[in-house]
Amino acid sequence: VGAHVIRAARITEATALSALCCRSKAHWGYDAAFMVAAARLLAVPQAAIRAGRVLVAEADGAPAGVAVLVPQGGTETWELSHLFVEPLALGRGIGRALFQAAARKARLAGAGRLLILADPNAAGFYARMGAAPAGAVASDLDPQRMLPRYELDLHMAGPPVD
Ligand SMILES: CC(C)(COP(=O)(O)OP(=O)(O)OC[C@H]1O[C@@H](n2cnc3c(N)ncnc32)[C@H](O)[C@@H]1OP(=O)(O)O)[C@@H](O)C(=O)NCCC(=O)NCCS
């Protein structure tokens, strides 16, 4: 995997980006039944692409990672609803680049806070990115499964605005 650039997603990429999210999520070793149930939640909505809220990390001419932002009600709080890197491209800084670009985008749109419901396997990544632990929420797929919640304060700890 070569160098990457961050760009806005194209509307024609919705299916390919949704498949990327599924491959990335499956990398943690979830079983087939879980992945079938999760696919609906992992889909990248075309409306989000149209609204310019989907970022792609492109490497070697193809998407290597994707991030989706969703404003929560007003503009103050935005959620990072998807952050997924292609399994072959993990550990090369693509997750960090997407996270920072998403935080910058939310901040430029006027958000003060970025919210993340993390996969338990990815919690350490969000802590490393400077997000603060903020409790846990039951998974939509399995109420017994608690997902760690993180918040990034975009006023205080956000990456520098370009
Ligand atoms: C979580 C994820 C996005 C990280 O992407 P990545 O491109 O591998 O991460 P980076 O290479 O940019 O890593 C940045 C830093 O975070 C650390 N890090 C990465 N993944 C980590 C993890 N799972 N736990 C703890 N630290 C992690 C790296 O070691 C690196 O540390 P450094 O600052 O000392 O160099 C990626 O593992 C992924 O897509 N996982 C599968 C899908 C998933 O669960 N996504 C998140 C849904 S909430």
Side-chain angles (χ1 to χ4, degrees):
V1 180
H4 63 267
V5 293
I6 306 291
R7 60 164 173 81
R10 302 177 189 119
I11 195 73
T12 51
E13 293 178 311
T15 306
L17 295 176
S18 301
L20 188 164
C21 291
C22 287
R23 284 193 296 277
S24 177
K25 186 80 173 182
H27 145 87
W28 298 127
Y30 294 115
D31 64 25
F34 179 92
M35 287 309 305
V36 167
R40 172 177 61 86
L41 300 175
L42 295 172
V44 174
Q46 291 207 354
I49 299 181
R50 253 185 234 106
R53 290 188 278 97
V54 181
L55 298 173
V56 167
E58 182 175 308
D60 304 331
V66 61
V68 181
L69 286 160
V70 182
Q72 303 292 293
T75 53
E76 172 59 20
T77 303
W78 283 37
E79 183 181 358
L80 183 61
S81 68
H82 299 50
L83 177 62
F84 291 101
V85 174
E86 206 48 278
L88 285 172
L90 291 169
R92 295 167 186 258
I94 291 174
R96 184 202 313 272
L98 280 167
F99 182 87
Q100 291 182 343
R104 189 178 305 123
K105 185 170 182 62
R107 184 153 86 166
L108 289 173
R113 186 165 77 141
L114 187 66
L115 190 70
I116 304 114
L117 277 191
D119 184 289
N121 298 294
F125 168 80
Y126 296 108
R128 184 83 185 113
M129 295 299 106
V137 177
S139 156
D140 281 347
L141 295 176
D142 175 4
Q144 306 292 346
R145 191 174 126 91
M146 296 305 285
L147 301 180
R149 190 171 173 279
Y150 280 84
E151 282 183 13
L152 182 71
D153 183 342
L154 299 172
H155 300 299
M156 305 294 293
V161 173
D162 287 336

